[in-house]
Amino acid sequence: MASSTSLICDTEAWKDLKGHVEDIKKNHLRDLMSDVNRCQSMMMEFDGLLLDYSRQGATVETMDKLLNLAKDAQLTEKISRMFNGEHINSTENRSVLHVALRAPKDAVIKADGKNVVPEVWNVLDKIKEFSEKIRSGSWVGATGKPLKDVIAIGIGGSFLGPLFVHTALQTDPEALECAKGRQLRFLANIDPVDVARNINGFNPETTLVVVVSKTFTTAETMLNARTLREWITAALGASAVAKHMVAVSTNLALVEKFGINPKNAFAFWDWVGGRYSVCSAVGVLPLSLQYGFSVVEKFLRGASSIDQHFQSTPFEKNIPVLLGLLSVWNVSFLGYPARAILPYSQALEKFAPHIQQVSMESNGKGVSIDGLPLPFETGEIDFGEPGTNGQHSFYQLIHQGRIIPCDFIGVVKSQQPVYLKGEIVSNHDELMSNFFAQPDALAYGKTPEQLQKENVSENLIPHKTFSGNRPSLSLLLPELSAYNVGQLLAIYEHRVAVQGFVWGINSFDQWGVELGKILATQVRKQLHSSRTQGTALEGFNYSTTTLLKRYLETSSEPQM
Ligand code: F6P
């Protein structure tokens, strides 16, 4: 068992898995897939979802060994500590309670001895009331017009999750109906081009700006907020800010200082990590403004269903636990550093970008939770695109180049079905034919013998051979309603936590992104003084000095 000062790689279970790698390498997925009992044991169903992990490079024995690893990692205890509100984010001395954000009203989840669920629901009720006022037109802008358009300003966790959910709901029939006549956009990048794209076609008179920032200090978000405040006040006068700008933050003092009435601020709490905040006002406010609170509530219920499954289901049937353990197996034992997230659904086009942050900001760590350097890699490189677009892009590398475990995500019922007369299948069936075919192509490959039988010319046989034995898993959702989107989100959030718990790291801090924030400060000061006082460049290396010189000499930025 791993004690607080030892590493998981020193446990018997870890060593046992290391020894097991050679056994697994002797098996080709082609053979593993012919063992029906094995495959049956690798199908898991919960609340309408079907997970099939039979195409993982794993046997029943591997799964037993991974469950032993979970035991040695004290996974049960760590999950309980999370749900019990203990300060498991030890470097920031915080609880990790995003599960409380979607808990039913009568649940009891405590942080520092206090049930936080009533506070959560106070904010949710406030969002419900406010979003109904905006959507019904009873809250109007400074010139008396209803606010039909929303720009949500935020970056990282204050952007990617809400964008993913918004993109997923856009074509859901119920959400689409509820969003009629309304638009929601997201402004994240400090690049002024992003500002231009966001305000293009919008009128300040009919636009509500939601400033979303946990800290209310993030440089990009605050400059974008000042830029849109200027856009509003230039058109409508300073007093219009009260009607056209609201905020989501844990720092209500800074919200007030910025000029937004704290009454129009929606709180969340330090026990919600930025990348885990989509179920707080960070996501719930903009999404409720667009789709109405009742749609968003379904999304929260879907996430909550997975929370309960995660908390109470034995590990051998627990979807996030199984997924997390398999990722640890792929990264730490089989040595695959990446993971492709491949939703066969255009509505999930922003899922991979969101999971990139959830996973890579959480698990890209070099030391254990106790600060010990890790002699093994943690985290994986996440990337992905919706199928079939990805097939025509990077799948070549996945089929014949590097081995990249793939997550295939499919949906039974399309949000927007199309059936064309004369076609042999519906458009959705065409899409899903690929979802079903690709995992087998990766697992089985194509042998030189098969190619010879097909009379492929000898010189092309090496090029057309597919080694196969490439792992994947398939997750089939019944449909892509708000509820299912919530389920999908929570599965991945918990999977990432499981990985971090097993590796023995802190998946809830993000010190690695702090350096970048500080580094820009020196350049910002230099740009200001060079432009306003012609100050010579100082304190930079040859490379940066040359680049800055070129930038200052040739750019046509307006002088301050
Ligand atoms: O990118 C680093 C980070 O701290 C993320 O963790 C966070 O989601 C993002 O910046 C935005 O922070 P805030 O919500 O405080 O503006």
Side-chain angles (χ1 to χ4, degrees), residues 411-417 428 477-480:
V411 180
V412 173
K413 190 175 156 214
S414 174
Q415 288 181 335
Q416 296 289 327
H428 186 65
L477 313 179
E479 56 183 333
L480 206 54

Side-chain angles (χ1 to χ4, degrees), residues 324-345:
L325 291 176
L326 286 166
S327 289
V328 170
W329 171 238
N330 284 326
V331 173
S332 299
F333 298 95
L334 299 180
Y336 306 141
R339 173 172 63 195
I341 297 170
L342 309 169
Y344 278 67
S345 163

Side-chain angles (χ1 to χ4, degrees), residues 188-304:
N189 201 329
I190 190 52
D191 185 342
V193 170
D194 207 9
V195 173
R197 289 180 182 189
N198 265 274
I199 60 176
N200 183 26
F202 276 11
N203 179 349
E205 282 183 282
T206 52
T207 302
L208 178 73
V209 173
V210 183
V211 184
V212 186
S213 175
K214 182 174 171 180
T215 54
F216 232 69
T217 57
T218 303
E220 293 90 339
T221 300
M222 296 326 296
L223 183 51
N224 276 333
R226 293 193 292 276
T227 307
L228 287 206
R229 184 177 61 189
E230 178 61 26
W231 178 64
I232 287 164
T233 54
L236 307 170
S239 62
V241 169
K243 287 283 180 188
H244 291 262
M245 289 188 92
V246 298
V248 176
S249 187
T250 58
N251 195 336
L252 299 183
L254 286 185
V255 168
E256 187 167 15
K257 208 166 162 207
F258 179 86
I260 292 174
N261 187 340
K263 276 195 203 142
N264 301 332
F266 299 82
F268 65 116
W269 307 270
D270 70 1
W271 41 261
V272 183
R275 55 196 174 275
Y276 297 94
S277 66
V278 58
C279 294
S280 72
V282 166
V284 174
L285 178 62
L287 294 164
S288 296
L289 288 164
Q290 178 69 1
Y291 299 110
F293 183 76
S294 68
V295 169
V296 182
E297 207 180 354
K298 289 179 189 166
F299 160 71
L300 297 178
R301 280 212 296 271
S304 174

Side-chain angles (χ1 to χ4, degrees), residues 155-158 213-215 218 221 274-275 357 361 510 513 517:
I155 198 162
S158 296
S213 175
K214 182 174 171 180
T215 54
T218 303
T221 300
R275 55 196 174 275
Q357 189 199 12
E361 196 166 272
Q510 57 286 314
V513 297
K517 292 184 190 172

Side-chain angles (χ1 to χ4, degrees), residues 18-63:
K18 277 276 173 208
H20 179 60
V21 170
E22 280 316 305
D23 303 337
I24 281 298
K25 285 197 170 156
K26 285 180 204 142
N27 293 290
H28 194 287
L29 271 173
R30 231 179 265 141
D31 307 317
L32 293 178
M33 291 302 291
S34 64
D35 179 347
V36 176
N37 287 337
R38 170 189 167 274
C39 293
Q40 261 173 3
S41 74
M42 294 185 170
M43 304 272 172
M44 239 18 93
E45 273 187 77
F46 174 71
D47 197 11
L49 307 170
L50 176 62
L51 167 69
D52 170 8
Y53 61 94
S54 59
R55 288 179 195 77
Q56 289 287 306
T59 58
V60 174
E61 199 189 343
T62 319
M63 297 316 294

